[in-house]
Amino acid sequence: AVRIRLKRVGKIHAAQYRVVVVDSRKKRDGRVIEEVGYYDLTNPSIIRIDSERAQYWLGVGAQPSDQVRNLLVLTGDIAKFNGKADAVPA
């Protein structure tokens, strides 16, 4: 099964994450199919997700992890995927 999840990059106490599409059997930081976004924990945090690619992967059945689902809710991509065209990111 294909999952959309976070891949950790960055320094030891300065974590940054990439939002990636990966086979669910691969390691957390293993080989990915595609990178679709970026999540930085600085203050304020930065969330950049390629909405078009996220919509595509959700459409072909990729399941987001819990944390990625929360990020997609914040960016409005889950609402767009569910057919709510008037969804505006918070």
Side-chain angles (χ1 to χ4, degrees):
V2 177
R3 303 274 303 185
I4 303 173
R5 64 184 185 200
L6 296 176
K7 175 180 178 178
R8 185 183 165 126
V9 294
K11 297 180 183 177
I12 291 175
H13 294 291
Q16 298 171 352
Y17 296 92
R18 304 242 167 92
V19 181
V20 295
V21 178
V22 64
D23 188 321
S24 62
R25 296 168 290 191
K26 298 288 184 184
K27 297 182 208 176
R28 178 191 72 180
D29 296 337
R31 186 165 174 238
V32 301
I33 299 170
E34 181 180 356
E35 284 186 14
V36 295
Y38 181 80
Y39 175 46
D40 190 355
L41 294 174
T42 58
N43 192 4
S45 61
I46 300 168
I47 303 169
R48 290 193 189 114
I49 294 180
D50 183 352
S51 181
E52 186 175 308
R53 295 307 294 164
Q55 299 293 321
Y56 168 77
W57 283 108
L58 290 170
V60 296
Q63 295 295 312
S65 66
D66 293 338
Q67 182 61 44
V68 171
R69 179 175 289 282
N70 292 338
L71 294 176
L72 293 174
V73 166
L74 286 174
T75 60
D77 289 320
I78 289 287
K80 276 193 248 178
F81 176 69
N82 291 329
K84 297 182 174 70
D86 58 344
V88 178

